[in-house]
Amino acid sequence: MVRSRTVKILLPWVSILICIPAWAIAQASSPAVRVISLSPFITETIYLLGAQDQLLADTSYCTVPPEAAQKEKIGSVTRVNVEKIISMQPDLVIASPLSQEKQLKILRSHGLWIMEIPNPKTFDQICATTLKIADALGKTAQAQALVQQSRADVDKICGLVTGLNPRRVFIQIGIKPLHTVNKDLFINEYLIRANAVNIAENLPSGVYSREEVIKQDPDVILVATMGSDKKAAAFEKKRWMSFASLTAARNNEIHVLDPEVICHPTPVSFASGLEQVAGLIHPQIGNTGGIN
């Protein structure tokens, strides 16, 4: 009777264990050592954590740092080679919101552990994302140190602009159509923390018009054209400077930003980007002294 009762007690637990997928067991027992990244900022985060030796492959868009371009490629950000990923037998695939859910479903059906990373909207979310990836890779201590330093750098810059008059800013991140930043993008937080006002913050989307920019007449215009070369950004600056009615043009406060710094949501790049943005919006703070 005792044996029969014991079997009855254990059976539900056995059933639960059988239903747990292999990736969940692996996740619980040890860090992922065979990782595939499906996004440039995820790849950059892996390198920041010093976990590049655990990175099996990434996308054709993963070029930061330069060493990432030498990794095996499994497709683009929006479309990957599912068969190739399966054949590489990774123990973790880290996906972004641009990854196709249909493809991720196929990968899951083959027992692969898929970690989906949402687009961060704030610096705090960027830090949380870094810690989440680090936990899966066994790099928690490295991530904690990195986040702590980045927070200190950000606080230092925020302290320099505290008490200054807020300035009205327009950020251009796309050309055709003219695209800007609303409150749903983490780039907006550069302006919040730099003591500035984003004239497009409350837009339902990022599509804007030159006529509206001229009408709003911001104090500063920042150009960080993602996916374009530096010549395109320089041309956009020249174009804005041609509008004599713009305060930013008259005061020579139209600046080109490095999209490799501004558009990458990692704690380190955010701190560097904030330093650059704050210095351009509030030139009176001078040299911030640099950040580590």
Side-chain angles (χ1 to χ4, degrees):
M1 287 292 293
V2 173
R3 182 179 179 183
S4 176
R5 186 163 57 248
T6 302
V7 170
K8 288 181 179 179
I9 293 173
L10 289 176
L11 275 175
W13 292 101
V14 172
S15 299
I16 292 172
L17 287 172
I18 291 173
C19 292
I20 296 176
W23 59 260
I25 297 173
Q27 178 186 8
S29 61
S30 61
V33 294
R34 295 175 59 80
V35 182
I36 291 178
S37 165
L38 305 187
S39 169
F41 90 85
I42 292 170
T43 295
E44 186 176 355
T45 299
I46 291 172
Y47 274 85
L48 283 173
L49 295 171
Q52 58 269 22
D53 290 343
Q54 294 164 244
L55 182 63
L56 278 180
D58 56 25
T59 77
S60 57
Y61 290 90
C62 295
T63 58
V64 177
E67 294 84 356
Q70 306 306 314
K71 291 287 184 177
E72 187 76 19
K73 303 302 172 186
I74 45 73
S76 68
V77 173
T78 57
R79 188 170 185 82
V80 300
N81 186 329
V82 172
E83 292 78 12
K84 185 173 183 178
I85 292 176
I86 294 170
S87 71
M88 296 182 76
Q89 299 183 318
D91 49 26
L92 173 60
V93 177
I94 310 181
S96 80
L98 293 178
S99 303
Q100 289 188 23
E101 184 56 40
K102 182 179 179 180
Q103 292 193 312
L104 297 182
K105 186 176 180 180
I106 295 172
L107 294 175
R108 287 193 186 94
S109 71
H110 282 76
L112 298 186
W113 172 20
I114 309 297
M115 175 186 287
E116 294 188 68
I117 300 296
N119 282 330
K121 296 182 180 181
T122 66
F123 175 60
D124 288 339
Q125 289 179 9
I126 291 173
C127 292
T129 292
T130 300
L131 290 168
K132 180 178 180 180
I133 294 173
D135 287 345
L137 302 179
K139 298 290 184 178
T140 302
Q142 292 88 330
Q144 290 173 338
L146 186 150
V147 166
Q148 183 179 16
Q149 181 61 59
S150 297
R151 287 192 182 279
D153 292 337
V154 167
D155 288 344
K156 174 184 176 182
I157 298 164
C158 290
L160 293 174
V161 300
T162 298
L164 299 179
N165 290 327
R167 306 192 74 202
R168 300 174 67 253
V169 180
F170 175 75
I171 299 184
Q172 179 183 354
I173 60 172
I175 299 174
K176 294 181 180 180
L178 184 68
H179 220 85
T180 187
V181 172
N182 63 12
K183 60 186 176 183
D184 291 331
L185 296 180
F186 78 90
I187 298 174
N188 181 60
E189 185 141 329
Y190 286 127
L191 302 187
I192 294 173
R193 292 183 181 256
N195 193 16
V197 177
N198 178 4
I199 67 169
E201 180 180 35
N202 294 316
L203 286 180
S205 74
V207 178
Y208 216 61
S209 70
R210 292 188 191 274
E211 292 75 18
E212 187 62 25
V213 175
I214 294 170
K215 178 182 177 181
Q216 292 292 328
D217 193 24
D219 300 307
V220 181
I221 295 177
L222 304 175
V223 181
T225 50
M226 297 186 294
S228 303
D229 59 29
K230 293 180 179 179
K231 289 183 179 180
F235 176 80
E236 284 301 300
K237 175 180 178 178
K238 184 177 180 180
R239 192 172 182 182
W240 285 118
M241 289 291 290
S242 69
F243 296 101
S245 62
L246 278 172
T247 298
R250 292 197 307 272
N251 295 335
N252 196 28
E253 292 204 72
I254 300 173
H255 308 286
V256 174
L257 303 175
D258 183 355
E260 294 295 341
V261 175
I262 300 299
C263 302
H264 287 208
T266 72
V268 174
S269 60
F270 184 91
S272 297
L274 179 60
E275 181 183 37
Q276 183 181 152
V277 168
L280 293 173
I281 294 174
H282 300 287
Q284 66 267 45
I285 70 176
N287 192 322
T288 65
I291 59 177
N292 297 322

